[in-house]
Structures are given as C-alpha cells and as structure tokens.
Amino acid sequence: MSNNFGSSRERWNIQASNIAKKTYNPIRSIVENIVVDPNPNKKMIALSIGDPTTFGNLKPAKEVIEAVQESVSSQLYNGYAPCTGYQAAREAVAHYSSNEFLKVDPQDVILCSGCSCALDLCITAVAREGQNILIPKPGFSIYRTLAEGLGITVRSYNLRPDCGWEIDLDNLESQIDESTAAIIINNPSNPCGSVFSRNHLHDILDIAAKYYVPIIADEIYEHMVFPGRKFYSLASLSTEVPILSCSGLTKRFLVPGWRMGWIIIHDRQNILGKEIRKGLHCLTQRIIGSNTLIQGALPRILRETPQNYFDEIIRTLYNHSKLTYNYIVNIPGLKPIMPDGAMYMMVQIDLNSFPEFQSDLEFVQRLLAEESVFCLPGLCFDYPSYMRLVITLPIEMLEEACNRIEQFCMRHHIKTSQSRNSLDGIVIPY
C-alpha cells in the first residue's frame, strides 16, 4: 500500500498539542515538586486539601445517599442523557436556584461534570485566543489553568486583605481593555473565605456594565456562609450585566467526587444572544453530558435535603474557623484573617520574623518536615507571604495542627527563639 503524503516522515516525531503545552496547574505543580518528607515521628495532618470528605467527619445527608441509591436501583439512568442534562434534573436546579429576586428557567441550566467543568465551558465559550479574562488575586488557580491552555491571557485584579478581601475596584477597572472577554468573580472565595456584601457586589456590577464586560460567577460556595453574613448571587442584583453562574453539589452537599456542577445563563437583555448560548450547548457535546446516575437523583437531593443538615455543617465550619483564628492570632509572626464562609483561612507570614526562610514555600516545606503539618503556600494562589489552611478537619486534629504550628513558629521566630535561648544562657546570633 502507498499514501499520498510522500516520504517526509522518516522517523517517529510525535509532539504535544499547543493546548497541552500551555496547560499548567500551579497548585499541582508546586505541591508535586515539594520533595520534603514529613517528620516520621508525627502523624501527618494535611491542612492543604480542599476536599471536605477527606477525614470522614463531614458526610452527606442520608437523604442524599438514599436518592442516589434509588437512582441506581431504578435502572433508568444507565444510558446517555442529553448533553445539557435531563429535563427533570435541569428543572430541579432551576427551582433550587430561584428566589424572590430571581426566577431561573430550566432552559438556562446546563449540567456539567463538576463546577470546574462549568468554568471550563464558560471560559471557552466567551473568550478567544488573544483576548484576556480578569481573575482574582489571590485566587483559585484553575482559572489560569483553563484560560492559558486556550491561549487566553490572564490578568489579575487585587483583593484587599485589610478590607476582608474585598476587590480593589480601581485596580479591577484598570485591568479592563478592548480585549477583555470576561471578569471572573469568586464569591464566597477560595482561598480567602470572604463573602462580598450587597453594596460591594453592586459596585462590581457597575464596573462590568460601564465597560460592557460579562461576568463568570464562580459561586460553588454559595450558602456556605457563616452567621452574620449573607450570600447574594450576582444575578439576583442585576438585570443588565450578562452573568454565567457556576455552581454544583460539590461543597455544600459534601460530594465532590460525584462530579455534578451546572451553569446558569442569566441574560435578561439577550446580550449574549444565540451565539454564546449555542456555543455552550455545542461545548457540552465534547463531554457528552454529566453523571447520569447523579442527574437521576438530583431532584430528590435538591428537594429533600433538610435545612437542619446544612445548618449543622455551617455551625461546624464556623466553630472550626473561630478555634483556628483564636489560636493562630496569638502565634508570633502569623496574622490570620477570619473568614466569613467557605472552608478556608488565609494566614499572613511575616517573613522578616523568620529570617531562615526566603519565601512562604520554604516556610511550609520546613513546617511539613518538622511538624508533619502541610499547608498550601500563598504561591499556589499567586499571593506570596501567605499560606492557606483548610478548616474541615476533625476538631481534635485541627487543635493538634495549630499546636504544632505554634511550636514551629516559637522555634524559628527571631525574637521568640532569641528570648528562649537567652533564658537558657545561650544566644544564637542571626
């Protein structure tokens, strides 16, 4: 047999695609390159994993489990579903996401394989190679990973730790130009645990409207809000700005591995038009729909999970965050910022107080090596001199982790260690 392309191929020459070469996940890259072994004499405590199910203390409600069991035993959901999801499942999401200020149409719901898939479809649908999107700093690294793989430039706007991680609005506005395709707003925030006020959200919407830029709203932590704060969805506050809202079961229902997320298209002025809507629908054909067994269970899950279950989860996370904050705030060289929701806490590291370490990465590496406590460095979120703590651990493990962090800081903090050594008659010069 012969072919028509000649004999230019004389050897194997297989190269990765451009998207494969450009795709980079900072968290995975940094974590996988930490080659420090934990202290073998201390049990590992990971404050790094954004999975609330890891330690087994936080479990889904029995109604959620029963709904999936029924879905499996029915034998109705073993085949393919429509790429955007079963109609009954989309109706359930629409009802769940509607409120007195916002009515969601099932036709505006697209089911996805987790919230990260929802974000992927949204970024891919609204931004083209050569354009830019705006993302928060500090922020979850998946936004950068998804965009840069497609040749989309990422610009970071600053969050203000001195103002509860509100957006620096002047900085946000300064990043926008003619090539800005979308602004990503993450509320409540990973990694900050912040929850934006109604007024602040209105200010953000005013900027988006002024420059005619749509918003991709990452609201996966909606409803995971501590007492004294209230979550407002961006779409409930604007009839003008087109918003693609991304959420799912993952966090609130404590089932991240079930991979059930969704996009809700909020476009009351028909600004996105048929093109973006059609583009999203076409992109769903690349994944051939989300998990059908969970889709079958979705109406029962969203309808029957009791409010007291959610209240107990929030109470647990709030108590954990208070315990962690009250402990860490008294540790020399560390400055925690109390979260208002989600399941994380950002802690500032005063590196001048720890002259042995040149960066937050070195700090967390040594903490892992000496105390077997693993936190994510701020570098993972494009925010050096910080570390992120996860607060979902059992309370006794969280207390032990805080105690080990304190012991580590007492050894390495320049003033504290000098004071201790002076008491021992030994002064170590720095």
Side-chain angles (χ1 to χ4, degrees):
M1 294 182 65
S2 62
N3 55 50
N4 296 322
F5 68 77
S7 58
S8 60
R9 290 191 177 183
E10 298 179 352
R11 58 185 176 82
W12 290 103
N13 184 23
I14 302 171
Q15 298 184 16
S17 67
N18 287 335
I19 188 171
K21 291 177 181 178
K22 293 177 181 177
T23 298
Y24 167 76
N25 187 318
I27 292 181
R28 296 296 179 188
S29 178
I30 292 168
V31 170
E32 290 173 5
N33 283 292
I34 292 179
V35 292
V36 176
D37 292 325
N39 185 333
N41 298 318
K42 297 188 176 184
K43 184 177 179 180
M44 176 72 168
I45 302 177
L47 301 180
S48 57
I49 304 171
D51 180 348
T53 71
T54 299
F55 298 96
N57 57 313
L58 300 177
K59 301 179 184 296
K62 67 180 181 61
E63 291 83 359
V64 172
I65 302 300
E66 290 169 358
V68 176
Q69 290 172 334
E70 181 185 36
S71 176
V72 173
S73 62
S74 74
Q75 297 290 307
L76 296 175
Y77 305 104
N78 295 330
Y80 292 120
C83 290
T84 56
Y86 285 120
Q87 181 65 20
R90 296 167 70 191
E91 289 175 357
V93 171
H95 179 75
Y96 171 78
S97 303
S98 295
N99 56 47
E100 59 182 312
F101 306 107
L102 183 68
K103 177 68 174 177
V104 177
D105 190 310
Q107 299 309 307
D108 293 329
V109 176
I110 297 173
L111 301 185
C112 306
S113 182
C115 189
S116 59
C117 175
L119 291 163
D120 188 13
L121 296 188
C122 289
I123 292 170
T124 305
V126 303
R128 301 185 300 274
E129 185 174 4
Q131 290 186 302
N132 65 75
I133 63 170
L134 309 187
I135 69 171
K137 178 182 179 180
F140 189 38
S141 65
I142 193 71
Y143 313 134
R144 181 178 298 277
T145 300
L146 297 173
E148 291 185 340
L150 298 170
I152 299 163
T153 301
V154 168
R155 296 181 178 178
S156 299
Y157 60 84
N158 294 329
L159 305 184
R160 300 179 57 187
D162 57 321
C163 296
W165 298 111
E166 285 191 344
I167 295 172
D168 183 330
L169 297 171
D170 291 336
N171 181 254
L172 171 66
E173 190 169 359
S174 72
Q175 305 294 329
I176 299 173
D177 65 13
E178 292 295 326
S179 296
T180 301
I183 303 169
I184 294 183
I185 303 294
N186 178 208
N187 176 52
S189 165
N190 173 13
C192 303
S194 53
V195 180
F196 293 155
S197 69
R198 183 188 182 96
N199 288 339
H200 190 57
L201 290 170
H202 274 299
D203 290 338
I204 296 165
L205 288 163
D206 287 344
I207 292 174
K210 178 180 178 180
Y211 293 97
Y212 308 102
V213 181
I215 290 176
I216 299 172
D218 180 357
E219 297 177 333
I220 188 62
Y221 294 99
E222 61 178 338
H223 311 304
M224 294 184 73
V225 176
F226 298 157
R229 301 292 290 184
K230 185 175 181 180
F231 168 77
Y232 298 93
S233 69
L234 274 165
S236 70
L237 303 178
S238 175
T239 60
E240 180 180 2
V241 178
I243 298 167
L244 299 176
S245 177
C246 302
S247 190
L249 290 184
T250 300
K251 306 298 184 181
R252 190 187 192 201
F253 292 83
L254 304 178
V255 287
W258 290 8
R259 311 311 301 142
M260 177 52 63
W262 50 76
I263 302 166
I264 301 177
I265 304 169
H266 301 281
D267 187 23
R268 301 182 205 181
Q269 306 301 324
N270 199 28
I271 295 168
L272 297 177
K274 294 181 180 179
E275 186 170 332
I276 296 298
R277 188 180 293 267
K278 180 180 178 181
L280 285 168
H281 283 222
C282 289
L283 288 169
T284 66
Q285 296 170 18
R286 293 170 63 92
I287 62 168
I288 321 296
S290 62
N291 188 319
T292 55
L293 294 174
I294 307 305
Q295 285 191 51
L298 203 51
R300 275 197 66 185
I301 291 174
L302 298 180
R303 182 179 65 247
E304 297 183 12
T305 305
Q307 183 60 43
N308 61 4
Y309 166 79
F310 298 126
D311 293 343
E312 180 58 31
I313 296 297
I314 291 299
R315 187 158 41 247
T316 297
L317 294 177
Y318 181 50
N319 289 336
H320 284 202
S321 68
K322 287 192 296 182
L323 179 147
T324 304
Y325 177 85
N326 289 334
Y327 206 118
I328 300 293
V329 76
N330 291 309
I331 298 177
L334 300 185
K335 182 182 178 181
I337 299 176
M338 180 67 185
D340 291 316
M343 49 190 221
Y344 310 105
M345 179 180 294
M346 287 289 275
V347 178
Q348 185 178 17
I349 306 167
D350 179 11
L351 290 172
N352 291 328
S353 296
F354 301 101
E356 295 174 68
F357 313 124
Q358 299 300 310
S359 67
D360 51 284
L361 179 58
E362 287 188 21
F363 183 96
V364 300
Q365 286 177 317
R366 285 288 294 277
L367 178 61
L368 174 61
E370 294 182 21
E371 295 292 344
S372 296
V373 173
F374 186 28
C375 308
L376 284 187
L379 184 63
C380 289
F381 308 99
D382 196 23
Y383 214 71
S385 300
Y386 278 77
M387 61 181 177
R388 188 196 74 174
L389 313 184
V390 173
I391 59 171
T392 57
L393 291 72
I395 196 74
E396 63 276 4
M397 290 183 67
L398 199 55
E399 290 176 334
E400 174 64 18
C402 289
N403 180 263
R404 294 188 196 177
I405 292 171
E406 180 182 30
Q407 296 304 312
F408 176 81
C409 289
M410 295 290 278
R411 286 197 302 273
H412 296 285
H413 186 272
I414 184 169
K415 292 182 180 179
T416 306
S417 57
Q418 283 181 341
S419 175
R420 280 188 164 189
N421 288 325
S422 295
L423 291 174
D424 293 336
I426 303 172
V427 178
I428 298 177
Y430 289 92

